Amino acid sequence: MSGKAKRTLFVAGISLAMIFGLEAADYNQTENFGVKKPGDRVGFTVTPPGTVISGNCTNSGGFVWTGGPASWNGTIPDDFSGNHAGAFDGTYQPTGTGGQPKIYTWYVDTNAKVVKVGKIEINAEGSQHDVTGQEITLLKGTKYTFKAIPDPSNLAFPSGEPKWSGIESGSGETIEVTFDTEGSFSLTAKCGSETGKKVDLVVILPEIEEVRYKGQDIVDKQDKWTKSGINDPACFVQNRNSSVEVVFKHARSLTYNTSVVIYGDVSWWDDDMTGGNYSETTTTFKNWPSTPLIIQSESTNEPEVDYYEEVDITWQYKVPSGINSMIDAGDTNSLDYYLIWNDQVAGSEFKFDIIKWACDAAEDTAGEDDIREELNDEIYSEYDYDYNCHMLSSNFTWCNRVLGISANTWYWSSCSSMYYIKPGFPNIGDMAAMQSISFVPAGHFWSQIYDWSFHQWAQSGGKQYDPSSGNIHNGSWGGYEDYVMAKYHRVDSLSPTVVVLDDNQPGQTLGCESTGQAFNAAVFAWSSP
């Protein structure tokens, strides 16, 4: 504060300077209040060298003033910001003048800078974004730093300002907010008594929408689970990591790209089917449905053919830049997982009924020979033989192929069968039919001898498998023919046709056997028991 008194000629107590504007006031004083905020109160007292007689506020400078003539109090309005410049003047009687009073003039100018919140910014995606008055959508588990920008922008907020309120409270130019709860919130920054600036916040939790199995393609299924109700089976090769493709979804898109880590927490009881939990894998959330993400199990699944229809997985995510701890994002329960021995064999009929039946038949079995034996035994036990060797051997072949084991069917035919009719049949010496050894056929309880026009069985891994009889024979199809056939019906004469029984001879080139035919047979369609 400064002041200086000046002598001036008066006419009837009125300053000539006031009449003619010849010079400034006799006493000048400056008040600088510094940086203030809305709602602050300021004040001053004019102190000329004498007694103040009168005083007026000639320019409020945007403040609300009360008092006078010497002492003044001002209040900064809630909506004021920027530079304040006020003006006051009046008169005073100098001290010790004696005689006729002489009236002098005084003048006071007031100055201040008032700052309030101009906008709110968020630090996201590596830069600042103005979110004032907006509604933004953020992911549960994130942390963001919000910054209040002063108005005017060239001023700094007073110490302890602004004040933050809403989802988080605090003071200062910036505030970090942790979003660990879903719902709708707001965040307001105020400097002093101003109304402040606000941003509305919606915090969302997306959920698993779809799981697509990246294993063996089941041709009559969609190979996926969906939240909308699809729960098709998964098929993977044993002793390998399993992979799935996951998709998440929410009704609201996020405002900013958010890097997350996805994790599949498999129930401890089920992790031998999946190969443990599904590994932490990084992706980005923003729009929905999310970009499909392939995620692999942490280890290999069990080394055997198996199946389980109650696999439970809890899907989780975490935000490394946020709270960095896993958040549950939905469950996929009662999933059907099937483990086969190897990649499906080309030309296999990879349908679910066959896969299910084969995995059930060879459950908990490892090794190709053991698997083939289990399949042969299971078909022999579950089916009834009724001259349907072609169907049973075809089923055995299908089961092996869907489990990833090569197999095919062979049949041995007389000169007149559903597969083969010899030109000119019958001729003397032709094989008219064949007769089996005594065996207990599938689904029966006593031994029988059968007369056949043909017989069909399967071949795999250097062995012959005959589910009609339950037989397994090491070696070629010809060796099995020598074993399973006891006699042959040979055409002995034509007028009338007479057929006689000959004993089976080693190989297939002696006697009427030389007229028979062996074929790598077509595989018939799957037939359920």
Side-chain angles (χ1 to χ4, degrees):
M1 174 170 61
S2 64
K4 179 175 71 173
K6 296 181 179 179
R7 296 188 58 80
T8 307
L9 294 175
F10 277 81
V11 177
I14 301 176
S15 168
L16 292 177
M18 297 174 65
I19 297 173
F20 299 107
L22 297 178
E23 60 177 331
D26 298 292
Y27 173 81
N28 292 280
Q29 182 175 316
T30 297
E31 296 289 334
N32 191 343
F33 303 124
V35 177
K36 296 295 180 180
K37 61 183 182 295
D40 279 353
R41 297 181 64 82
V42 295
F44 71 92
T45 299
V46 61
T47 56
T51 302
V52 173
I53 299 174
S54 67
N56 301 285
C57 175
T58 58
N59 181 5
S60 68
F63 289 7
V64 178
W65 295 97
T66 59
S71 295
W72 295 85
N73 296 305
T75 301
I76 303 175
D78 294 344
D79 60 351
F80 187 91
S81 66
N83 294 323
H84 160 78
F88 299 80
D89 64 12
T91 61
Y92 70 95
Q93 182 177 347
T95 302
T97 57
Q100 182 177 353
K102 294 183 178 180
I103 305 302
Y104 284 65
T105 61
W106 60 265
Y107 176 81
V108 175
D109 63 282
T110 59
N111 297 282
K113 296 181 183 297
V114 181
V115 61
K116 66 178 182 178
V117 176
K119 60 183 179 178
I120 297 176
E121 292 181 345
I122 186 175
N123 189 321
E125 298 177 333
S127 60
Q128 296 293 119
H129 304 269
D130 183 3
V131 292
T132 310
Q134 299 179 26
E135 180 181 80
I136 60 175
T137 303
L138 307 175
L139 183 67
K140 181 179 179 180
T142 53
K143 288 181 182 180
Y144 287 98
T145 297
F146 293 83
K147 183 178 182 180
I149 306 300
D151 176 22
S153 60
N154 63 332
L155 296 182
F157 289 110
S159 177
E161 297 292 337
K163 299 290 191 301
W164 297 88
S165 62
I167 189 173
E168 191 69 74
S169 59
S171 62
E173 186 180 53
T174 62
I175 190 169
E176 184 180 77
V177 182
T178 298
F179 297 96
D180 55 5
T181 304
E182 303 163 67
S184 296
F185 308 92
S186 65
L187 181 66
T188 300
K190 297 172 60 175
C191 185
S193 63
E194 65 158 322
T195 55
K197 295 296 187 289
K198 183 180 76 166
V199 55
D200 291 318
L201 310 161
V202 179
V203 183
I204 66 168
L205 171 62
E207 290 190 345
I208 188 71
E209 176 71 15
E210 192 167 326
V211 179
R212 304 164 185 167
Y213 306 120
K214 308 307 287 184
Q216 304 292 300
D217 179 34
I218 303 175
V219 298
D220 56 345
K221 298 293 182 180
Q222 298 184 59
D223 304 312
K224 65 181 179 180
W225 173 96
T226 67
K227 190 175 180 180
S228 62
I230 297 173
N231 190 9
D232 279 355
C235 184
F236 297 100
V237 175
Q238 56 81 35
N239 204 29
R240 295 183 187 176
N241 297 80
S242 66
S243 295
V244 297
E245 188 174 69
V246 293
V247 176
F248 293 81
K249 191 175 181 181
H250 195 277
R252 298 178 66 101
S253 292
L254 296 172
T255 304
Y256 306 108
N257 288 301
T258 306
S259 179
V260 298
V261 175
I262 304 300
Y263 182 71
D265 185 13
V266 180
S267 172
W268 67 271
W269 184 261
D270 309 329
D271 57 9
D272 55 344
M273 298 298 298
T274 60
N277 299 320
Y278 284 100
S279 303
E280 293 188 3
T281 307
T282 300
T283 189
T284 298
F285 282 168
K286 187 173 190 289
N287 298 314
W288 312 109
S290 63
T291 301
L293 174 71
I294 294 178
I295 181 169
Q296 190 178 68
S297 63
E298 294 175 339
S299 58
T300 58
N301 50 34
E302 60 184 7
E304 60 189 15
V305 174
D306 203 357
Y307 75 100
Y308 189 59
E309 297 175 339
E310 294 291 335
V311 175
D312 298 334
I313 306 173
T314 297
W315 294 99
Q316 302 173 323
Y317 73 87
K318 66 179 178 181
V319 184
S321 63
I323 64 176
N324 200 31
S325 60
M326 287 296 175
I327 298 171
D328 288 353
D331 300 319
T332 51
N333 293 330
S334 299
L335 304 179
D336 296 348
Y337 269 57
Y338 290 82
L339 302 184
I340 61 176
W341 186 249
N342 209 337
D343 294 303
Q344 56 181 287
V345 175
S348 61
E349 193 173 37
F350 210 71
K351 294 182 178 179
F352 177 60
D353 284 349
I354 308 176
I355 297 167
K356 180 179 175 67
W357 203 95
C359 286
D360 182 49
E363 183 180 9
D364 299 329
T365 305
E368 290 191 4
D369 279 346
D370 289 340
I371 291 170
R372 285 187 282 253
E373 184 174 336
E374 288 292 331
L375 294 175
N376 195 64
D377 290 347
E378 193 70 15
I379 295 174
Y380 177 74
S381 299
E382 293 295 323
Y383 285 77
D384 289 333
Y385 173 73
D386 186 20
Y387 293 94
N388 55 349
C389 59
H390 56 296
M391 304 302 297
L392 303 186
S393 57
S394 292
N395 279 7
F396 175 86
T397 302
W398 286 130
C399 287
N400 275 276
R401 289 180 178 179
V402 299
L403 294 181
I405 300 172
S406 295
N408 61 319
T409 57
W410 282 89
Y411 70 88
W412 175 237
S413 175
S414 68
C415 295
S416 177
S417 73
M418 62 182 293
Y419 290 131
Y420 170 69
I421 297 179
K422 180 184 176 184
F425 177 82
N427 292 298
I428 294 175
D430 284 347
M431 182 201 303
M434 56 193 72
Q435 188 175 91
S436 72
I437 61 174
S438 178
F439 66 92
V440 178
H444 294 264
F445 301 98
W446 57 90
S447 295
Q448 299 182 51
I449 295 174
Y450 287 90
D451 289 313
W452 295 319
S453 63
F454 74 95
H455 188 56
Q456 183 168 314
W457 59 89
Q459 177 177 275
S460 180
K463 295 182 180 181
Q464 310 302 308
Y465 294 86
D466 189 355
S468 298
S469 64
N471 288 328
I472 300 175
H473 185 79
N474 289 321
S476 67
W477 72 269
Y480 184 61
E481 179 275 324
D482 284 339
Y483 167 76
V484 75
M485 301 303 173
K487 297 180 183 293
Y488 285 96
H489 296 267
R490 173 177 54 83
V491 178
D492 190 56
S493 64
L494 298 177
S495 299
T497 300
V498 176
V499 176
V500 298
L501 278 175
D502 289 344
D503 290 336
N504 189 359
Q505 301 296 310
Q508 293 79 43
T509 61
L510 300 176
C512 67
E513 294 177 55
S514 64
T515 64
Q517 290 289 321
F519 292 91
N520 187 340
V523 183
F524 285 79
W526 170 261
S527 175
S528 299

